[in-house]
Amino acid sequence: QVQLVESGGGSVQAGGSLRLSCAASISTYNCNAMGWFRQAPGKEREAVATIFTDPFEEYYTDSVQGRFTLSQGTTKNTVYLQMNDLKPEDTATYYCAADCIDPPRLFGGIWRAAGYYASWGQGTQVTVSS
């Protein structure tokens, strides 16, 4: 079981930026896909962004397109979610998720399907004030 640990959450004003980190217990390059989800109070968990490692593909939900960027770190066991121009509606607990099992379960057409991610972190809180 791959262990994931998120960090980097916090409180910012609208228009500000945060970078979330997800440290994995294995190289993320050995994973089929790494993603970020979020859940606001009273709402369902929402897929935010996912990258597939080989071949490389990236997916973003419409509300964060152009503002958020998911990337893999040079240390090979960390992925990042750079969040710019944050809005109050981005307030949520953010979760890192991964499909690192063999054979992989996830593919691009179902990147939003939380049930196909085998590993999850505990979450980090992001609060954006207006």
Side-chain angles (χ1 to χ4, degrees):
Q1 184 76 5
V2 177
Q3 307 299 317
L4 303 175
V5 179
E6 305 97 335
S7 61
S11 298
V12 296
Q13 290 190 325
S17 298
L18 284 173
R19 188 176 77 159
L20 305 183
S21 300
C22 173
S25 56
I26 66 170
S27 170
T28 61
Y29 288 85
N30 291 331
C31 296
N32 172 49
M34 301 291 298
W36 287 91
F37 286 71
R38 66 186 179 186
Q39 188 166 20
K43 295 188 176 181
E44 293 186 354
R45 190 166 296 192
E46 173 191 28
V48 176
T50 288
I51 58 171
F52 290 82
T53 58
D54 186 18
F56 180 81
E57 297 177 345
E58 57 183 351
Y59 297 86
Y60 296 90
T61 196
D62 287 348
S63 63
V64 307
Q65 186 75 41
R67 299 189 296 123
F68 290 13
T69 304
L70 198 165
S71 62
Q72 289 182 283
T74 56
T75 58
K76 298 186 178 181
N77 70 334
T78 304
V79 293
Y80 302 99
L81 185 68
Q82 178 67 43
M83 307 186 295
N84 298 327
D85 190 22
L86 282 160
K87 305 176 186 297
E89 52 264 40
D90 295 319
T91 295
T93 300
Y94 283 70
Y95 298 89
C96 180
D99 173 27
C100 303
I101 64 175
D102 186 19
R105 302 172 62 192
L106 199 65
F107 56 93
I110 57 170
W111 75 275
R112 299 177 184 273
Y116 284 79
Y117 293 78
S119 303
W120 290 84
Q122 295 182 325
T124 185
Q125 178 67 35
V126 172
T127 302
V128 184
S129 58
S130 57

